[in-house]
Amino acid sequence: RQELSGTLRIGVIDATVTDEALPLARAIGTFSQRHPAVHVNLSVRSPYELQQGLSDGLLDLAVGAFPTRTSSLLFHPLYREQQWLYCSDRHPLFAQRRIAENTIADLRVVRRSYWSETELGRHGFKQSVATVDSMEAQLILILSGAYVGYLPEHYAQSWVDRQRLRVLLPSAFGYQSPILLALRRGRSREPAIQALRELLRTRPESLSERRPPRL
């Protein structure tokens, strides 16, 4: 009857539920309606764990940002996620109106465990004093007031609206992170993978006319 069945194992990086640019929930909903016999297994993992899971055959496809990429995998671009550098209302710079760029570079910054020294340098810092492996951990350390760090704009915006977080020098310390769909070579034509892949590549209509970011 050409009905899909079995299990589809999906991996995704954390802190994506607030990202309107990633239609993951909508895509899974549509996929499940069309293919109700498929059991969906969704897990949240770090970029390294996502690639390892794909390589070991524990995941069928994954969505994330991958600063380093395994050669045995295929990566398809979905969109670019805006990242800003933030401090909290407990940080000394929160209330300052004018901040020099060289002042930022000397701040105590949180790094992500999957960033190399080169990657950290690309974002304006020579060294870090704290390490995290998730955006929630990153947010906690930034809210402590002892550190500054990068967060996805969509993830941090509610804290900005409540005046708990502030963007620091967006003209100098912002960047866009490519969000990619990853899968193992030779598996792109498998029906379940192909079906969800097409749904993920469909841009949400609500983003056709996106407003400028609120800083």
Side-chain angles (χ1 to χ4, degrees):
R1 293 185 301 173
Q2 297 183 343
E3 180 177 316
L4 297 181
S5 61
T7 299
L8 182 63
R9 300 160 299 178
I10 308 165
V12 64
I13 55 173
D14 70 317
T16 61
V17 70
T18 54
D19 191 353
E20 294 182 1
L22 178 61
L24 184 58
R26 178 182 56 81
I28 291 176
T30 301
F31 178 90
S32 296
Q33 289 176 353
R34 294 177 181 176
H35 312 290
V38 176
H39 181 96
V40 173
N41 186 316
L42 179 64
S43 58
V44 177
R45 304 185 184 181
S46 70
Y48 172 80
E49 292 170 332
L50 291 176
Q51 293 189 80
Q52 192 65 48
L54 291 169
S55 298
D56 294 343
L58 302 176
L59 293 174
D60 299 311
L61 74 163
V63 176
F66 303 99
T68 59
R69 301 173 192 175
T70 304
S71 59
S72 62
L73 304 178
L74 294 175
F75 298 88
H76 302 278
L78 294 177
Y79 64 99
R80 301 181 72 85
E81 179 185 63
Q82 181 64 56
Q83 304 264 341
W84 301 113
L85 183 68
Y86 293 89
C87 75
S88 79
D89 56 346
R90 298 171 61 89
H91 194 277
L93 288 184
F94 187 82
Q96 289 192 22
R97 297 184 62 184
R98 295 183 180 181
I99 303 173
E101 185 172 335
N102 59 355
T103 300
I104 300 292
D106 294 331
L107 294 177
R108 293 164 55 85
V109 67
V110 180
R111 72 180 295 171
R112 298 171 192 174
S113 59
Y114 47 87
W115 277 5
S116 64
E117 293 291 339
T118 301
E119 186 73 15
L120 182 66
R122 288 195 191 102
H123 304 312
F125 296 90
K126 296 180 180 179
Q127 61 182 358
S128 63
V129 295
T131 304
V132 296
D133 60 5
S134 72
M135 291 301 102
E136 184 173 7
Q138 181 106 325
L139 177 58
I140 290 171
L141 290 187
I142 295 171
L143 288 171
S144 76
Y147 310 92
V148 300
Y150 284 97
L151 290 169
E153 179 187 40
H154 60 83
Y155 186 61
Q157 191 61 55
S158 65
W159 296 89
V160 173
D161 293 342
R162 285 181 280 169
Q163 298 184 357
R164 293 293 314 281
L165 291 180
R166 170 190 175 179
V167 178
L168 295 172
L169 290 184
S171 60
F173 288 91
Y175 72 96
Q176 292 188 336
S177 176
I179 301 299
L180 310 171
L181 185 151
L183 63 156
R184 195 169 180 175
R185 293 183 182 275
R187 301 198 60 188
S188 59
R189 293 187 179 274
E190 294 181 20
I193 292 177
Q194 196 169 31
L196 185 60
R197 176 184 169 187
E198 291 304 313
L199 290 170
L200 286 171
R201 296 176 67 178
T202 302
R203 189 171 178 81
E205 294 180 1
S206 60
L207 295 180
S208 58
E209 295 183 359
R210 295 190 70 184
R211 291 175 291 180
R214 293 170 290 153
L215 303 182

